[in-house]
């Protein structure tokens, strides 16, 4: 594939991911939404299905949608997708497309819920529709949580190459739901730098009435934690038990 084709695939897949992922957060959290207060299980399944759709949309490039997955596969010595080697240029195009797709997806979710964002609500509630935040702020431990969740995800992606099930996007959707239900409580499980930073950037420039800070002091955690988890998975998993 050309660099343009790689870019468009990952851009569109990540756009779909954030449109539906940020959309379910808006549905659950915003005033006067018919789904307001429906809870964490709805959010976890919403994000799982968002991944399902996004991976299908970006099937041509392996449906990474996540810089931690892209870097984890590169560290593991694997191609990024069939016929797409893990060159520096390809890695940069993947990550650029993921970030821009996340920003545009967040803007689209805001447009869908524009009138609800215009309603009075605490700034942190509106921010939660775009980006993650910790239940207990402890930057070091928040990084650990994000690294563990991302390690689980990227490990599964690497192992999945040997899976006979061929469940593909449906399987990764269930993995995302499982991570959300089991490990998502402390930080909101970004497990994806683009998923958090892209929408956070969109929140910062969108004209949302009554919005507060984008919480830049925390913004590095859902970037650094997932990258650590992805790199550790890429280094460790291919060398376990001679499976690869």
């Amino acid at each position: 594939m050309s660099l343009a084709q790689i870019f468009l695939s990952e851009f569109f897949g990540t756009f779909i991911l954030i449109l539906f992922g940020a959309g379910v957060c808006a549905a659950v959290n915003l005033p006067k939404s018919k789904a307001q207060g429906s809870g964490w299980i709805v959010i976890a399944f919403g994000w799982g299905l968002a991944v399902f759709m996004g991976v299908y949309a970006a099937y041509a490039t392996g449906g990474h949608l996540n810089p931690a997955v892209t870097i984890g596969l590169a560290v593991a010595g694997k191609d990024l997708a069939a016929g797409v080697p893990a060159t520096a240029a390809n890695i940069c195009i993947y990550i650029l497309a993921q970030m821009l797709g996340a920003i545009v997806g967040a803007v689209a979710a805001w447009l869908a819920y524009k009138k609800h964002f215009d309603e009075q609500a605490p700034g942190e509630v509106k921010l939660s529709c775009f980006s993650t935040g910790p239940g207990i702020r402890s930057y070091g431990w928040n990084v650990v949580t994000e690294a563990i969740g991302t390690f689980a995800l990227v490990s599964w992606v690497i192992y999945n190459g040997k899976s006979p099930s061929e469940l593909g996007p449906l399987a990764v959707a269930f993995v995302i739901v499982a991570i959300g239900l089991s490990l998502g409580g402390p930080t909101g499980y970004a497990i994806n730098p683009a998923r958090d930073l892209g929408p956070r950037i969109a929140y910062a420039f969108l004209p949302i009435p009554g919005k507060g800070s984008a919480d830049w002091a925390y913004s590095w955690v859902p970037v650094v934690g997932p990258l650590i988890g992805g790199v550790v998975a890429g280094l460790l998993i291919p060398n376990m038990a001679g499976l690869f």
Side-chain angles (χ1 to χ4, degrees), residues 11-233:
F11 174 91
F12 186 61
T14 311
F15 167 83
I16 293 295
L17 167 69
I18 301 302
L19 172 62
F20 286 93
V24 73
C25 291
V28 171
N29 292 324
L30 289 180
K32 299 184 181 179
S33 164
K34 292 184 180 294
Q36 186 182 19
S38 51
W40 188 250
I41 292 177
V42 171
I43 288 177
F45 273 91
W47 274 104
L49 294 172
V51 168
F52 174 74
M53 290 183 285
V55 170
Y56 258 119
Y59 75 94
T61 48
H64 293 196
L65 321 180
N66 183 342
V69 171
T70 302
I71 292 173
L73 287 174
V75 169
K78 296 184 174 296
D79 287 343
L80 302 181
V84 184
T87 65
N90 286 341
I91 292 169
C92 289
I93 289 295
Y94 266 73
I95 294 174
L96 178 62
Q98 291 156 2
M99 286 297 305
L100 293 177
I103 292 171
V104 177
V107 172
W110 168 73
L111 289 171
Y113 281 89
K114 170 66 166 61
K115 299 305 292 183
H116 298 268
F117 277 108
D118 289 347
E119 292 289 318
Q120 185 174 359
E124 59 268 23
V125 170
K126 295 181 179 182
L127 177 60
S128 71
C129 302
F130 291 85
S131 58
T132 62
I136 299 173
R137 188 172 296 250
S138 176
Y139 294 119
W141 287 110
N142 299 152
V143 167
V144 169
T145 298
E146 286 291 331
I148 291 172
T150 312
F151 174 84
L153 171 62
V154 177
S155 296
W156 182 87
V157 170
I158 295 171
Y159 272 129
N160 188 52
K162 298 294 184 179
S163 170
S165 68
E166 298 184 358
L167 289 174
L170 180 60
V172 75
F174 282 121
V175 170
I176 295 296
V177 172
I179 293 171
L181 294 178
S182 299
L183 301 173
T187 61
Y189 77 118
I191 59 174
N192 179 344
R195 173 266 174 273
D196 192 274
L197 184 57
R200 196 183 296 269
I201 292 170
Y203 176 84
F205 69 71
L206 285 171
I208 301 172
K211 71 177 181 181
S213 164
D215 195 11
W216 294 112
Y218 181 79
S219 64
W220 64 274
V221 171
V223 173
V224 172
L227 290 178
I228 291 172
V231 168
V232 172

